[in-house]
Amino acid sequence: MDLGKLFLKVVDVAKDLFDGAQKDAQPTQHTQTRQQPQPAPSNVSPAVEIERTAAEWEAYFKEILLNEFPEYTIRENVPVSDLAGFASDEFQLYKTRPYQVYKAEWGQPYTFVLEKDSRAMAVVMLGNGHSHDSNVKYLIARMYAKKLGLPYINFYTQMANERGYVIERIRKFMNLSGLEST
């Protein structure tokens, strides 16, 4: 087995053990977290895990995008092929595999696409760390965004993703691409 893969498995197992121990020690922690008022925004997202459903995360990010980036139209759950067409392109998504052809329609739909004047300007993807780092659907989506010259802004939904952090990160990615932001 590749040492990198072995290391990632060890980290995943350690994380699962730590998470299980935390839940056993504080069984009502997540319920209390949801009822507490939001802390002041910060530019750094602490390594605190938050439990939300996929729908809750999407609603949270949609609200931020609509209110903080009003100059953009927001599209949700956009198939990769809507932006790239029904393309088949060759990428090396995994270090251990040679270049392979991947079809755009195999990619994970973009959670959100920010558009201006009917032109895609950036994509925002929600997922957990494992999906962003190794799931072929997410990797295909990322490569097609890169090919199209679009910032691919991913957020790990097991993290806190405080409002200030989300806004600042989106602005940073869009500025690095030479695009205007609020």
Side-chain angles (χ1 to χ4, degrees):
M1 176 180 269
D2 179 49
L3 288 178
K5 288 181 184 177
L6 180 61
F7 176 75
L8 289 175
K9 283 190 178 196
V10 170
V11 169
D12 285 343
V13 168
K15 182 181 172 298
D16 290 344
L17 290 172
F18 178 77
D19 290 346
Q22 258 190 331
K23 285 179 183 176
D24 291 343
Q26 299 174 351
T28 60
Q29 177 184 13
H30 295 296
T31 305
Q32 292 172 352
T33 302
R34 284 187 179 174
Q35 295 171 353
Q36 292 176 353
Q38 288 282 343
S42 79
N43 291 339
V44 178
S45 183
V48 175
E49 294 192 16
I50 301 240
E51 277 190 28
R52 289 185 179 160
T53 66
E56 288 172 327
W57 276 117
E58 288 177 20
Y60 174 71
F61 274 84
K62 183 177 179 179
E63 185 276 325
I64 290 173
L65 293 170
L66 289 172
N67 290 315
E68 299 296 330
F69 301 91
E71 68 274 20
Y72 296 100
T73 303
I74 310 301
R75 289 180 50 205
E76 299 178 62
N77 198 30
V78 179
V80 175
S81 57
D82 277 11
L83 301 182
F86 287 95
S88 291
D89 212 336
E90 189 175 79
F91 305 114
Q92 183 177 8
L93 299 182
Y94 301 99
K95 291 179 182 177
T96 58
R97 293 184 189 170
Y99 282 85
Q100 296 179 359
V101 173
Y102 296 96
K103 294 183 178 186
E105 62 260 29
W106 296 346
Q108 177 69 26
Y110 299 118
T111 312
F112 299 102
V113 174
L114 284 73
E115 295 182 333
K116 194 173 203 175
D117 299 326
S118 299
R119 185 173 153 245
M121 304 301 280
V123 297
V124 174
M125 289 292 280
L126 304 181
N128 64 40
H130 178 71
S131 64
H132 283 298
D133 298 336
S134 62
N135 185 302
V136 70
K137 290 182 173 195
Y138 282 85
L139 296 173
I140 290 170
R142 179 180 295 194
M143 292 305 288
Y144 275 102
K146 181 178 179 181
K147 180 182 177 184
L148 294 167
L150 297 173
Y152 179 95
I153 312 160
N154 61 319
F155 290 93
Y156 299 113
T157 55
Q158 75 270 22
M159 304 306 282
N161 290 308
E162 292 178 10
R163 184 180 189 87
Y165 169 76
V166 171
I167 294 165
E168 201 57 39
R169 190 152 184 265
I170 292 170
R171 286 182 178 158
K172 175 184 171 190
F173 269 78
M174 293 184 77
N175 284 335
L176 290 174
S177 298
L179 302 173
E180 292 180 14
S181 67
T182 58

